[in-house]
Amino acid sequence: MWTKATIEDLLFGTPDELLFREADRVRQEVCGDEVHLRGILEFSNHCWKNCLYCGLRRDNRSLQRYRMLPEEIVALAAKAAGDGMRTIVLQSGEDPWYTKDRVTAIIRGIKKKAGCALTLSLGERRERELREWKEAGADRYLLKHETANPKLFGSLCPGTTLEKRLGCLRLLKSLGYQVGSGILAGLPGQKPEDFVDDLMLLAFLDVDMVGIGPFIPHPETPLGHDPVGDSRNVLRLIAVARIILREVHIPATTALGTVEREGREKGLRVGANVVMANLTPLRFRKRYAIYPSRICAQESAEWCPECLKQRITNLGRKVSRDYGHSLKGERHAA
Ligand code: 5AD
Ligand code: SF4
């Protein structure tokens, strides 16, 4: 078991080269050369929440909002799965238009048409919704805790609390979901000590997936003039997460690829084993503007997976043909 002192030592006292080499060694030992390619469909940019850092926040009136119809979501997900995508991630803002029954119908529709794993990333939802969606066939759920500092979380995420977020994560786990959480790194007011708490929290939650990305200021938010999160810090966090959490899936995030040239490749070299291909139709992609200047806003849904496959191969790694379920033993065997 890792103590606070040993995590601090890794995070603050280990030179980049040594830390990155050890993380890559652990990744090789735990995951081998296989990289999981997940297809993400951002089906609605409506959000009733008002997180200060996010371009989809309710008060951003300059954003043209869109919603995809359930039939279109099912058709696109099934097409991607038919083309070989083993996991489909359905993501949106917190959008109550997608009621319990609508989401259930989408899950059933995809599961009937395609043999893929299904991940939901729909924010904090009610217990009865999460329960029914699991029963309908959803496999995984992503909900980042963003920051383990309760005061900072509270000031950046009006309408919720860290306690509520953690309650939701525990509930997801108890319902049998494979659960992902993670860190938004470089938020204004976030301190280096907070990252130690973030990592300890992820260990305590015993998550299956960990997403760590840099904060990128969005001009139409209250944090629009704050500095961008440091990509080297993100790479170090990914490395420490791999070393201490070991059996977890870690994506090299699109946000990392946006702030740093070859950022996703760098992530894959320091502990990450997952990349996300964007399946969102081009006509909506620019509008899913959580942060500005997102990479891959122009590429087509057909091209994204191909480009990523090429990048994976160029690193000497292999695209996995496996579902990429939890690495934590038999608990989640499909
Ligand atoms: N920069 C980077 N990531 C962001 N997210 C939200 N806003 C930003 C931003 N400005 C991330 C959060 C959230 C996910 C939907 O997007 O981590 O969990
Ligand atoms: Fe909505 Fe999520 Fe953005 Fe918060 S981070 S405003 S909940 S889309």
Side-chain angles (χ1 to χ4, degrees):
M1 193 59 198
W2 294 87
T3 62
K4 186 165 181 162
T6 48
I7 296 175
E8 281 170 348
D9 197 39
L10 277 175
L11 198 54
F12 306 132
T14 313
D16 281 1
E17 205 192 323
L18 208 66
L19 184 70
F20 293 159
R21 203 184 320 129
E22 175 61 5
D24 200 42
R25 189 192 67 75
V26 176
R27 185 273 308 158
Q28 172 74 45
E29 197 176 294
V30 176
C31 316
D33 279 333
E34 297 206 344
V35 175
H36 297 284
L37 186 58
R38 327 267 207 210
I40 180 162
L41 186 53
E42 299 145 341
F43 62 87
S44 162
N45 68 352
H46 285 259
C47 190
W48 73 273
K49 278 224 175 95
N50 220 5
C51 306
L52 269 66
Y53 43 77
C54 178
L56 305 192
R57 67 199 302 270
R58 187 182 62 217
D59 285 353
N60 180 7
R61 309 270 173 228
S62 64
L63 183 65
Q64 212 189 342
R65 306 281 173 167
Y66 71 88
R67 285 189 177 109
M68 284 171 60
L69 290 173
E71 305 84 83
E72 191 182 4
I73 298 171
V74 172
L76 281 176
K79 161 100 175 52
D83 290 345
M85 198 64 75
R86 309 301 262 162
T87 294
I88 303 293
V89 183
L90 298 181
Q91 190 177 75
S92 68
E94 287 196 22
D95 182 358
W97 188 86
Y98 297 88
T99 55
K100 174 167 72 53
D101 292 351
R102 281 187 174 133
V103 175
T104 300
I106 293 168
I107 296 167
R108 290 230 167 90
I110 295 172
K111 283 285 175 164
K112 203 169 106 191
K113 286 199 174 155
C116 60
L118 197 53
T119 304
L120 303 179
S121 178
L122 314 181
E124 293 167 357
R125 304 284 302 230
R126 291 172 199 283
E127 176 166 355
R128 61 171 184 277
E129 299 177 309
L130 298 172
R131 185 183 301 278
E132 182 168 306
W133 299 339
K134 182 73 187 59
E135 283 162 9
D139 301 280
R140 312 182 189 137
Y141 206 100
L142 301 177
L143 183 63
K144 288 194 199 168
H145 73 268
E146 317 290 1
T147 173
N149 178 330
K151 261 179 100 171
L152 185 61
F153 184 100
S155 70
L156 295 178
C157 307
T160 187
T161 60
L162 181 61
E163 205 182 326
K164 194 166 166 214
R165 178 73 46 108
L166 299 183
C168 201
L169 284 163
R170 273 190 293 268
L171 171 64
L172 287 161
K173 219 165 167 18
S174 74
L175 293 173
Y177 283 96
Q178 298 167 47
V179 173
S181 195
I183 312 166
L184 190 44
L187 286 163
Q190 205 173 22
K191 301 271 183 308
E193 312 86 83
D194 292 335
F195 297 125
V196 178
D197 293 336
D198 284 317
L199 291 159
M200 300 228 299
L201 178 61
L202 291 166
F204 177 73
L205 290 170
D206 193 25
V207 289
D208 304 289
M209 300 166 283
V210 175
I212 301 169
F215 162 70
I216 305 173
H218 188 300
E220 299 296 329
T221 66
L223 307 182
H225 295 294
D226 284 287
V228 60
D230 176 27
S231 60
R232 176 174 160 247
N233 184 40
V234 171
L235 291 169
R236 289 185 61 90
L237 284 167
I238 289 175
V240 177
R242 170 59 70 202
I243 294 168
I244 67 169
L245 304 171
R246 292 183 64 92
E247 282 92 11
V248 287
H249 290 297
I250 303 181
T253 56
T254 310
L256 180 58
T258 298
V259 298
E260 168 95 20
R261 211 177 63 83
E262 311 252 297
R264 288 172 301 186
E265 282 85 346
K266 287 179 185 159
L268 288 171
R269 283 206 203 91
V270 302
N273 71 318
V274 173
V275 280
M276 306 278 219
N278 197 326
L279 305 176
T280 309
L282 267 190
R283 67 186 193 283
F284 298 134
R285 219 178 273 190
K286 272 219 183 83
R287 292 198 242 159
Y288 200 79
I290 291 178
Y291 51 82
S293 322
R294 206 157 54 119
I295 49 168
C296 314
Q298 316 289 344
E299 325 301 329
S300 79
E302 282 76 36
W303 173 242
C304 246
E306 290 315 312
C307 160
L308 289 172
K309 281 179 198 164
Q310 195 61 57
R311 286 170 192 263
I312 292 167
T313 320
N314 288 348
L315 288 173
R317 307 268 279 275
K318 286 194 205 75
V319 180
S320 177
R321 299 177 56 80
D322 191 67
Y323 289 108
H325 281 306
S326 172
L327 294 164
K328 299 200 164 174
E330 296 304 295
R331 189 148 63 85
H332 291 298

